Amino acid sequence: MGLLLPLLLALLSCLIGGLYLLGVFRRHRPGEPPLDKGLIPWLGHVLEFSRNAFKFIEMKKQKHGDVFTVLLGGCYITFLQDPLSLGAFVKESREKLDFRPFAKQLVQRVFGYVSGEHDHTFLRATSNKNLQGEGLKVLSQAMMDNLQNLMSREIGSAADESSWKEDGLFMYSYNILFRASYLTLYGNASPKSEEGEEKAKEKDRAESEALFKEFRKFDQLFPKLAYGVLSPRERLEAKTLRELICNTLSVQKMKMKNEISGWIWDMHQYREENGMKESMINRYMLALLWASQGNTGPASFWLLLFLMKHPEAMRAVKEEIDKVLKESGQEVRRGGPSINLTFEMLKETPILDSALEETLRLCVAPVITRVVLQDMTLKMADGREYIIRKGDRLAMFPYSAVHIDPEIHPDPHSFKYDRFLNPDGSKKTDFYKNGQKVKFHSMPWGSGVSMCAGRFFASSEIKQLVFLVLAYFEIELKNPEEKIPEFDFSRWGMGTMHPNREVQFRYRPTF
Ligand code: HEM
């Protein structure tokens, strides 16, 4: 008896502790947003959410209004879906809302990388230095060279016969952009001698192709990996792929490369100098590969597809490209030099810029998340206030809150290439709801402290690819009646959406 009581008490406290962790005791308190825990302890709604986050959020919004708290895999997440109140999220101080603990957990779960204390500060600093301004100029030139290398054969062979070539548009766009951008950031094979230059280029083509194949398999597992809902078989597959890709990106191999970008080099040096193990640095290299390559290729697919589906948009963009080419004194002709698309020329394309922004509005759908570091009051634009608990998360899903709000963007599901242009041709930034200006009218890059660090480079590379494709080739859908495919719904919340099927297109030289 003497031992039994303490044992029973210990068991009881374990049970209560367990139930507490499962969220069984959490109750809605006055002043808090509506609470929706779902029926499964701890997991809450995570399975439903990971199947189709957009549908889930829309349903909960209809039921609870534009602010509500749900339980997702052990986390209480409050969604803020009022487009006029997003400033309260974006501008809140880091003492209250922090992105870093969430990012730390995500990169550990997906890439096995354990973050250091100053990782995020360093990432922002090196990204500002290397992915903007002068750094971006250097990257753009390298990107141009790599794109020309990957496209050169096609341009060459297509020029021989002016017949149509056929391909899947998603794989075509994703493949070329991934490979050119990977080579630009992670470096090229180094030529051993003068005549080795062609060999090095060939090595770049082959190595980037092999990496793309592995990356695509990893990329397909990514949503389940991020939500932590992989089956044991998939978990094993993800681990194998991770090791394979890390091996290709390894520090050892990188040191044998030429022209590694400052972005990757600085990130690597910083960790090496801080005594991080090589295997851990390799995992970070994979995280950077995903951040830099997971969204851009799919976005270029959608842009090319929308242009093919909207002849008036295609005409306007092509006219702009022809004008920019002509003003630079270049023309595309059989046997002539390849196009030298400079950084300055890319600044002269407001129509292409608007078409790209419209594409991102329609097809990029991240969930932006912060960890709540202290109890706080969420102040809405219309005066409502909500108490948010320390330890919870605050999130927003701009795609449904803003991108497809018909008041902010009339006819929101249609592609309008000039939606982001004023009548005088300048960039349009004024959008309204209920007569009030909407500051965050499109958020494909996220916002605030965690806003995409590579957004200028991303826009520039997509524009480079589209510019070159349209300058060199005439392109059209194999089936002119082809419908725009639906999204792969498992990717809501991840960034650029993927189509749920491939779209065939054909191309032939314009010269
Ligand atoms: C169309 C292409 C791209 C899209 C739509 C996109 C979108 C995003 C989004 C939504 C975030 C998260 C923002 C948040 O949680 O608040 C993000 C973060 C990030 N992106 Fe991009 N991205 C793209 C391309 C790129 C490229 C090309 C690079 C690098 C070369 C890059 C580097 C990063 C990095 C490093 C972060 C983490 C920022 C941080 O932790 O502070 N992205 N991106």
Side-chain angles (χ1 to χ4, degrees):
M1 183 68 194
L3 263 181
L4 194 63
L5 188 63
L7 198 67
L8 275 176
L9 282 175
L11 272 176
L12 192 68
S13 62
C14 278
L15 183 71
I16 292 175
L19 289 172
Y20 179 80
L21 284 178
L22 290 174
V24 171
F25 300 123
R26 171 127 171 183
R27 295 280 173 269
H28 177 261
R29 292 183 197 145
E32 289 183 341
L35 173 66
D36 192 332
K37 296 195 289 186
L39 294 175
I40 317 173
W42 194 82
L43 283 179
H45 293 285
V46 75
L47 295 175
E48 206 183 336
F49 187 85
S50 64
R51 272 195 295 271
N52 190 333
F54 170 71
K55 196 169 151 200
F56 174 82
I57 291 171
E58 286 292 292
M59 235 167 57
K60 295 299 168 199
K61 188 174 162 187
Q62 262 184 16
K63 185 168 170 194
H64 302 297
D66 51 15
V67 184
F68 52 87
T69 304
V70 289
L71 175 63
L72 297 178
C75 291
Y76 286 95
I77 307 188
T78 297
F79 277 91
L80 168 63
Q81 292 296 103
D82 169 29
L84 293 170
S85 302
L86 300 182
F89 178 111
V90 172
K91 292 184 192 146
E92 189 53 272
S93 73
R94 269 200 190 175
E95 281 71 47
K96 289 187 184 157
L97 289 183
D98 198 354
F99 165 73
R100 288 166 297 181
F102 165 73
K104 198 172 167 156
Q105 205 182 49
L106 188 71
V107 289
Q108 184 154 4
R109 179 190 292 166
V110 176
F111 306 105
Y113 175 76
V114 182
S115 309
E117 199 191 333
H118 303 295
D119 273 17
H120 192 247
T121 314
F122 188 78
L123 168 74
R124 297 307 307 187
T126 187
S127 300
N128 288 348
K129 182 176 125 200
N130 293 297
L131 303 178
Q132 296 184 26
E134 277 305 302
L136 177 60
K137 205 169 167 178
V138 176
L139 271 190
S140 278
Q141 186 54 53
M143 181 73 193
M144 200 61 219
D145 296 342
N146 284 310
L147 274 173
Q148 300 272 15
N149 175 24
L150 296 178
M151 292 173 84
S152 62
R153 282 194 174 178
E154 281 179 327
I155 298 162
S157 70
D160 296 340
E161 2 127 8
S162 41
S163 57
W164 291 99
K165 270 182 143 187
E166 220 177 277
D167 213 333
L169 183 62
F170 183 70
M171 285 309 271
Y172 176 89
S173 327
Y174 205 170
N175 178 297
I176 293 199
L177 212 48
F178 172 94
R179 291 164 66 206
S181 185
Y182 157 69
L183 293 167
T184 301
L185 294 172
Y186 290 77
N188 299 95
S190 77
K192 299 265 179 315
S193 57
E194 279 280 306
E195 69 276 17
E197 209 157 289
E198 194 38 52
K199 276 212 171 101
K201 280 187 175 175
E202 192 149 346
K203 206 167 161 200
D204 278 345
R205 289 195 289 263
E207 194 223 319
S208 60
E209 178 73 56
L211 180 63
F212 177 67
K213 283 206 177 100
E214 301 307 331
F215 178 84
R216 271 294 290 148
K217 292 185 209 156
F218 183 77
D219 185 29
Q220 276 160 327
L221 292 172
F222 187 84
K224 281 188 172 179
L225 201 53
Y227 289 128
V229 293
L230 285 178
S231 69
R233 192 188 53 77
E234 289 168 328
R235 197 168 305 131
L236 194 69
E237 192 188 345
K239 188 166 173 277
T240 311
L241 286 166
R242 205 166 73 187
E243 278 161 14
L244 239 147
I245 302 173
C246 280
N247 182 38
T248 306
L249 305 176
S250 72
V251 173
Q252 294 300 334
K253 290 196 174 150
M254 190 168 90
K255 285 186 172 162
M256 289 153 68
K257 295 245 174 140
N258 244 6
E259 302 186 45
I260 302 163
S261 70
W263 192 58
I264 288 294
W265 186 250
D266 288 357
M267 225 80 88
H268 158 256
Q269 283 293 96
Y270 169 77
R271 283 165 181 77
E272 196 170 76
E273 281 163 19
N274 281 291
M276 187 177 276
K277 267 174 48 186
E278 227 178 89
S279 57
M280 196 52 84
I281 303 182
N282 297 345
R283 289 178 187 183
Y284 193 67
M285 292 297 133
L286 168 60
L288 292 180
L289 185 73
W290 196 85
S292 59
Q293 307 307 328
N295 292 299
T296 327
S300 64
F301 155 79
W302 291 112
L303 177 50
L304 285 169
L305 178 60
F306 286 135
L307 291 179
M308 280 189 271
K309 284 297 289 178
H310 295 85
E312 77 294 351
M314 179 67 99
R315 214 171 306 117
V317 169
K318 272 185 127 171
E319 272 172 24
E320 185 174 71
I321 287 176
D322 288 346
K323 182 167 161 268
V324 170
L325 268 179
K326 199 164 169 213
E327 281 172 5
S328 73
Q330 302 182 63
E331 75 175 310
V332 181
R333 57 187 161 80
R334 193 174 285 245
S338 30
I339 297 172
N340 179 22
L341 174 55
T342 62
F343 191 59
E344 279 64 36
M345 285 161 76
L346 280 174
K347 289 186 192 154
E348 306 299 323
T349 56
I351 299 177
L352 181 55
D353 289 344
S354 172
L356 172 59
E357 199 165 349
E358 175 70 338
T359 302
L360 301 181
R361 178 188 73 80
L362 281 167
C363 303
V364 182
V367 169
I368 320 279
T369 309
R370 304 280 185 269
V371 175
V372 183
L373 296 185
Q374 45 179 277
D375 290 345
M376 59 172 281
T377 304
L378 179 65
K379 295 188 174 154
M380 307 286 288
D382 60 7
R384 279 176 293 157
E385 292 192 354
Y386 293 102
I387 298 165
I388 310 290
R389 289 191 208 183
K390 176 182 171 181
D392 283 5
R393 289 180 184 176
L394 197 60
M396 56 182 177
F397 185 48
Y399 178 81
S400 74
V402 190
H403 292 198
I404 56 161
D405 182 320
E407 264 188 86
I408 304 171
H409 300 294
D411 193 7
H413 296 286
S414 298
F415 174 83
K416 296 188 175 166
Y417 76 94
D418 53 358
R419 194 185 291 273
F420 292 93
L421 281 178
N422 288 314
D424 68 357
S426 60
K427 184 178 161 78
K428 180 174 173 182
T429 52
D430 294 346
F431 294 86
Y432 294 88
K433 184 177 171 80
N434 295 339
Q436 288 184 60
K437 192 167 170 192
V438 181
K439 181 145 190 253
F440 304 98
H441 55 262
S442 184
M443 302 171 83
W445 314 107
S447 202
V449 286
S450 62
M451 190 171 190
C452 177
R455 60 196 182 281
F456 301 110
F457 178 52
S459 299
S460 156
E461 34 178 7
I462 297 170
K463 284 170 59 181
Q464 283 176 319
L465 177 70
V466 171
F467 194 113
L468 289 186
V469 166
L470 297 187
Y472 283 131
F473 303 120
E474 188 183 338
I475 61 171
E476 62 181 34
L477 291 167
K478 186 178 172 201
N479 167 15
E481 305 304 317
E482 178 89 53
K483 294 253 180 314
I484 300 280
E486 285 207 56
F487 292 143
D488 165 358
F489 298 138
S490 70
R491 299 192 81 94
W492 289 119
M494 299 293 125
T496 309
M497 298 299 288
H498 289 192
N500 67 352
R501 62 177 167 81
E502 184 53 287
V503 172
Q504 294 299 314
F505 83 118
R506 41 189 212 156
Y507 56 99
R508 66 178 178 189
T510 49
F511 46 92

